[in-house]
C-alpha cells in the first residue's frame, strides 16, 4: 500500500522525540508499508538531506536498543523528505499539493503536531488547497481546545471539510500495550466479567505520576495545567476502559459508543463535591534524584505568580447499575515521588473471615502502565501449614499476601509494539478503534468544565514539595471513604 505521511511540525519536539522513533520501529519491524513517504513540514529552511541529518542526530537521544544502526538509518532515511512551509500562507499549501500529486498515494495522512491554536487554520487551508479528499486522514494531537467552547469550535471547523471517519484524535495512552491488554483481559476472558461490578469492587484508583517537572515546556504548561493536560484526556479515557460495558463487537463505533455512555454517566459536580472531592496542587522546591530541584514558579517560562495546577486528585462515581456507589479516584501530577502510571482495582474483603490475615489486605488487581508494563494480582495464601498454639492445632491459620505478576516485556519481548507505533500504523490502515470521537471529547470537556470555572476564583493550588506524593489533602480526600492510595497501604 502506498502512503504519504505529512508531518506538520516536522522539526518539533514531538516529531523527533516520539513520532520518528515510532516510525523507525515500525520500519524495523517490517510493519510500515514499504511504498511510503514521510514529509516533514516546518518553517526551517532545510533540504531533504539536511532534514535527514537532523533526524539522525536526534536519534542519538533514543534509548540504545531502539537506536538505528547507520545501515538501518540509511534505508529508513530514503523515506524522509522535507518541505518548508509557512502554515499561514495558502501558496505553501499549493506547493504541498503539487508535491503530493507527484505520487498520488493511496492514503495521505496529515499529522498536525503543531500548537493547538493552529489546528483550525491548518485544516481549513488543507481543504482550500483541495487536499481533503476521501483518501486524506487528519491526526490531531491533544489538547484539542482549552475548554468546551473551543473544543466545539475546532470540531465544527474540522467537520465542515472532513468526515468523522477521516479524523483521528490521538490519545497515546490508548495505544499502550497494557491498555490493549486491559481490553483483552476484560472482553476476551470469562474470568473477570462476573466480578467486575459494585458487589465485588470496593474502589478503583487511576494514578498517572511523573517525577519530572515541566522541563522546557513551562510557557505551554502554564497555559494548560494538569487538568487539561492529563485528566480531560488520558485519565478519563482510562476510566472509560475500566468502566465501560462490553461492546457488541470490536468495531470502532461499538467501542466508542460504550465509552461515551461512561462519560455521560459520571456524576455531575455540585458546589459540595467541588469542595470535598477535588484537590489541586503546585510543586515547590524539593529533592528529585537526590538533588535539589526548583519549584514550579521558578521554572523557565512560568509566571512567578502562577496559579496553574501541577497536581490534581479527584473522586467521582459512575451512576449506572454496574458501578453505583463505587468511588473512582483519579490522581496525576508532576514532580511526584516516582514515575508511576497504574490502575488499581481494589476488591472488597471476604464477607466472613475464617483465617487470620493482615489488616487491609483485601485482593487487588493492578494494571501497570509505566515504567513497568503488565498485570499484577494480589491475593492471600496460607503462610505456614499445621500451625500450633500451646500444643494444639490452630484452626485459624495465618494468611500472608502473595502476588501473581505478569511482566509483558519479559513475556512478549521483541513482539511488543509501542503506543505511537501502533497508533501511527492504525492511522495508515484507517482503523479508528483507538482514537477518540468528537462526542466523546466534548462530553469529557463538559464534565471537567465546572472544575475549570471553580478553580478560576478559588484560593489557588495547594503547595507540595517536589519529590513527594502531592498535597496531604489528597490522602485526606480518599481517607474519608476509609481507603488509601496504593503506596500508603
Amino acid at each position: 500500500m502506498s502512503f504519504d505521511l505529512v508531518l506538520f511540525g516536522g522539526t518539533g519536539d514531538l516529531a523527533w522525540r516520539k513520532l520518528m522513533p515510532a516510525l523507525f520501529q515500525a520500519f524495523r519491524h517490517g510493519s510500515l508499508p514499504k511504498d511510503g513517504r514521510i514529509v516533514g513540514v516546518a518553517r526551517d529552511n532545510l533540504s531533504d538531506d539536511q532534514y535527514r541529518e537532523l533526524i539522525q542526530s536526534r536519534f542519538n537521544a533514543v534509548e540504545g536498543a531502539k537506536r538505528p544502526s547507520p545501515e538501518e538509518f540509511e534505508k529508513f532515511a530514503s523515506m524522509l523528505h522535507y518541505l518548508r512551509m509557512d502554515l499561514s500562507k495558502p501558496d505553501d499549501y499549493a506547493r504541498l499539493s503539487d508535491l503530493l500529486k507527484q505520487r498520488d498515494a493511496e492514503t495521505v495522512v496529515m499529522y498536525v503536531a503543531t500548537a493547538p491554536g493552529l489546528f483550525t487554520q491548518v485544516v481549513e487551508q488543507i481543504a482550500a488547497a483541495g487536499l481533503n479528499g476521501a483518501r486524506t486522514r487528519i491526526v490531531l494531537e491533544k489538547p484539542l481546545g482549552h475548554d468546551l467552547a473551543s473544543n466545539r469550535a475546532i470540531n465544527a471547523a474540522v467537520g465542515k471539510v472532513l468526515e468523522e471517519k477521516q479524523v483521528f484524535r490521538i490519545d497515546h495512552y490508548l495505544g499502550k500495550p497494557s491498555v490493549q491488554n486491559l481490553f483483552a483481559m476484560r472482553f476476551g476472558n470469562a474470568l473477570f466479567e462476573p466480578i467486575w461490578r459494585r458487589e465485588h469492587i470496593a474502589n478503583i484508583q487511576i494514578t498517572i505520576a511523573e517525577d519530572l517537572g515541566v522541563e522546557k515546556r513551562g510557557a505551554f504548561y502554564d497555559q494548560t495545567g494538569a487538568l487539561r493536560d492529563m485528566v480531560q484526556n488520558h485519565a478519563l479515557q482510562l476510566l472509560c476502559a475500566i468502566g465501560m460495558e462490553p461492546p457488541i463487537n470490536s468495531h470502532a463505533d461499538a467501542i466508542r459508543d460504550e465509552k461515551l455512555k461512561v462519560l455521560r454517566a459520571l456524576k455531575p459536580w455540585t458546589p459540595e463535591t467541588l469542595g470535598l472531592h477535588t484537590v489541586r496542587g503546585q510543586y515547590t522546591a524539593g529533592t528529585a534524584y537526590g538533588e535539589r530541584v526548583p519549584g514550579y514558579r521558578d521554572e523557565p517560562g512560568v509566571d512567578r505568580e502562577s496559579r496553574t495546577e501541577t497536581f490534581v486528585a479527584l473522586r467521582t462515581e459512575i451512576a449506572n447499575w454496574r458501578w453505583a456507589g463505587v468511588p473512582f479516584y483519579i490522581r496525576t501530577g508532576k514532580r511526584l515521588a516516582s514515575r508511576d502510571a497504574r490502575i488499581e482495582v481494589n476488591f472488597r474483603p471476604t464477607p466472613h473471615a475464617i483465617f487470620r490475615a493482615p489488616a487491609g489486605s483485601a485482593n487487588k488487581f493492578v494494571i501497570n502502565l509505566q515504567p513497568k508494563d503488565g498485570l499484577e494480582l494480589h491475593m492471600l495464601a496460607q503462610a505456614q501449614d499445621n500451625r500450633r498454639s500451646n500444643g494444639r492445632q490452630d484452626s485459624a491459620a495465618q494468611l500472608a499476601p502473595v502476588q501473581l505478576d505478569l511482566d509483558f516485556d519479559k513475556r512478549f519481548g521483541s513482539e511488543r509494539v509501542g503506543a505511537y507505533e501502533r497508533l501511527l500504523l492504525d492511522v495508515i490502515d484507517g482503523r479508528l478503534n483507538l482514537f477518540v470521537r468528537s462526542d466523546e471529547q466534548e462530553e469529557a470537556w463538559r464534565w471537567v468544565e465546572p472544575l475549570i470555572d471553580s478553580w478560576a476564583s478559588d484560593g489557588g493550588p495547594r503547595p507540595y514539595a517536589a519529590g513527594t506524593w502531592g498535597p496531604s489533602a489528597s490522602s485526606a480526600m480518599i481517607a474519608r471513604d476509609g481507603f488509601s492510595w496504593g503506596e500508603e497501604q
Side-chain angles (χ1 to χ4, degrees):
M1 180 187 74
S2 62
F3 75 91
D4 279 336
L5 194 161
V6 181
L7 183 53
F8 292 90
T11 59
D13 178 73
L14 181 67
W16 66 261
R17 190 167 49 90
K18 296 289 186 181
L19 302 181
M20 283 298 179
L23 288 166
F24 170 72
Q25 290 303 314
F27 174 82
R28 172 184 273 177
H29 294 154
S31 51
L32 189 67
K34 293 182 179 179
D35 190 10
R37 179 173 60 171
I38 302 166
V39 182
V41 167
R43 299 187 67 167
D44 307 77
N45 192 14
L46 301 173
S47 66
D48 286 352
D49 286 340
Q50 288 173 323
Y51 184 59
R52 290 163 185 156
E53 290 172 5
L54 174 65
I55 297 302
Q56 185 174 25
S57 69
R58 299 298 193 186
F59 271 115
N60 292 332
V62 176
E63 59 184 277
K66 295 183 179 181
R67 196 177 302 161
S69 67
E71 295 77 16
E72 285 179 316
F73 185 80
E74 184 178 359
K75 295 177 182 178
F76 176 67
S78 65
M79 302 179 72
L80 301 182
H81 301 266
Y82 183 79
L83 180 67
R84 184 185 182 280
M85 283 185 65
D86 183 333
L87 299 184
S88 65
K89 293 183 178 180
D91 288 348
D92 284 1
Y93 289 87
R95 291 172 51 234
L96 174 61
S97 178
D98 291 340
L99 179 65
L100 296 178
K101 287 177 182 177
Q102 292 174 9
R103 282 192 356 122
D104 197 27
E106 296 172 70
T107 299
V108 177
V109 175
M110 306 280 192
Y111 199 119
V112 189
T114 67
L118 295 176
F119 287 173
T120 299
Q121 180 186 58
V122 170
V123 172
E124 289 175 345
Q125 291 287 358
I126 286 171
L131 293 172
N132 59 329
R135 293 177 295 176
T136 297
R137 293 162 190 159
I138 298 284
V139 184
L140 298 176
E141 271 282 350
K142 63 93 178 174
L144 210 63
H146 196 69
D147 52 19
L148 178 59
S150 59
N151 177 254
R152 281 176 167 168
I154 292 171
N155 282 332
V158 173
K160 288 179 181 178
V161 297
L162 294 164
E163 296 183 37
E164 180 66 26
K165 65 182 180 181
Q166 295 176 271
V167 184
F168 292 70
R169 299 171 187 84
I170 196 167
D171 187 324
H172 73 269
Y173 265 72
L174 293 179
K176 287 182 175 292
S178 46
V179 178
Q180 297 306 297
N181 274 287
L182 170 59
F183 285 111
M185 180 273 298
R186 283 202 59 196
F187 305 131
N189 299 281
L191 179 64
F192 290 99
E193 184 59 26
I195 61 172
W196 209 256
R197 54 196 316 109
R198 67 186 186 280
E199 291 88 351
H200 303 284
I201 293 177
N203 69 85
I204 294 178
Q205 303 176 16
I206 299 172
T207 294
I208 308 175
E210 299 177 89
D211 53 5
L212 296 175
V214 294
E215 305 305 298
K216 299 177 182 179
R217 300 170 68 232
F220 164 78
Y221 194 90
D222 208 36
Q223 300 299 316
T224 306
L227 183 68
R228 293 181 174 94
D229 191 44
M230 299 297 291
V231 175
Q232 182 273 332
N233 38 70
H234 299 327
L236 287 185
Q237 284 295 317
L238 294 177
L239 186 149
C240 287
I242 283 286
M244 64 188 278
E245 295 295 322
I248 59 173
N249 55 43
S250 60
H251 294 163
D253 279 333
I255 294 170
R256 299 192 292 184
D257 286 346
E258 296 303 333
K259 289 196 294 174
L260 180 62
K261 290 177 185 177
V262 172
L263 292 169
R264 287 176 172 168
L266 290 176
K267 277 194 170 182
W269 295 104
T270 67
E272 181 182 14
T273 57
L274 283 169
L276 289 174
H277 297 161
T278 69
V279 177
R280 67 173 181 145
Q282 185 185 92
Y283 67 83
T284 58
T287 302
Y289 311 111
E291 299 179 357
R292 292 293 293 175
V293 294
Y296 175 72
R297 294 182 181 181
D298 295 321
E299 299 278 17
V302 174
D303 187 337
R304 294 295 178 263
E305 303 297 324
S306 176
R307 289 165 45 90
T308 299
E309 76 283 351
T310 62
F311 175 94
V312 174
L314 306 173
R315 179 198 188 277
T316 188
E317 294 181 24
I318 301 174
N320 64 14
W321 192 276
R322 181 186 293 266
W323 295 114
V326 177
F328 285 72
Y329 303 102
I330 294 173
R331 174 179 60 165
T332 185
K334 290 189 175 295
R335 281 289 185 222
L336 297 182
S338 67
R339 177 174 178 256
D340 186 12
R342 65 184 183 271
I343 303 169
E344 294 188 10
V345 180
N346 292 292
F347 291 91
R348 298 187 185 279
T350 54
H352 175 64
I354 62 173
F355 299 104
R356 291 182 291 118
S361 56
N363 303 139
K364 177 167 67 174
F365 183 67
V366 181
I367 301 102
N368 290 307
L369 304 172
Q370 66 181 26
K372 186 178 177 181
D373 186 3
L375 305 174
E376 298 174 12
L377 184 59
H378 296 248
M379 306 169 63
L380 296 172
Q382 189 165 312
Q384 182 179 349
D385 290 333
N386 301 319
R387 287 184 58 87
R388 291 183 174 273
S389 177
N390 297 323
R392 295 177 301 175
Q393 183 75 30
D394 188 349
S395 61
Q398 176 71 42
L399 299 184
V402 296
Q403 180 177 322
L404 303 178
D405 188 350
L406 173 60
D407 187 315
F408 290 146
D409 285 325
K410 292 179 180 177
R411 171 61 183 83
F412 299 110
S414 60
E415 302 170 37
R416 308 307 308 289
V417 175
Y420 271 105
E421 180 182 350
R422 178 185 297 275
L423 294 172
L424 285 165
L425 291 173
D426 279 358
V427 177
I428 293 170
D429 288 340
R431 293 190 294 266
L432 283 157
N433 299 50
L434 302 180
F435 295 85
V436 182
R437 203 168 57 192
S438 61
D439 51 2
E440 281 184 79
Q441 207 168 56
E442 290 184 16
E443 196 62 46
W445 276 114
R446 183 179 291 109
W447 187 74
V448 303
E449 194 156 62
L451 282 77
I452 296 172
D453 295 341
S454 173
W455 291 350
S457 57
D458 70 359
R462 301 169 184 264
Y464 65 95
T468 67
W469 279 105
S472 59
S474 170
S475 296
M477 178 191 74
I478 194 171
R480 293 190 195 102
D481 294 331
F483 304 124
S484 58
W485 294 109
E487 74 279 356
E488 299 170 343
Q489 294 172 7

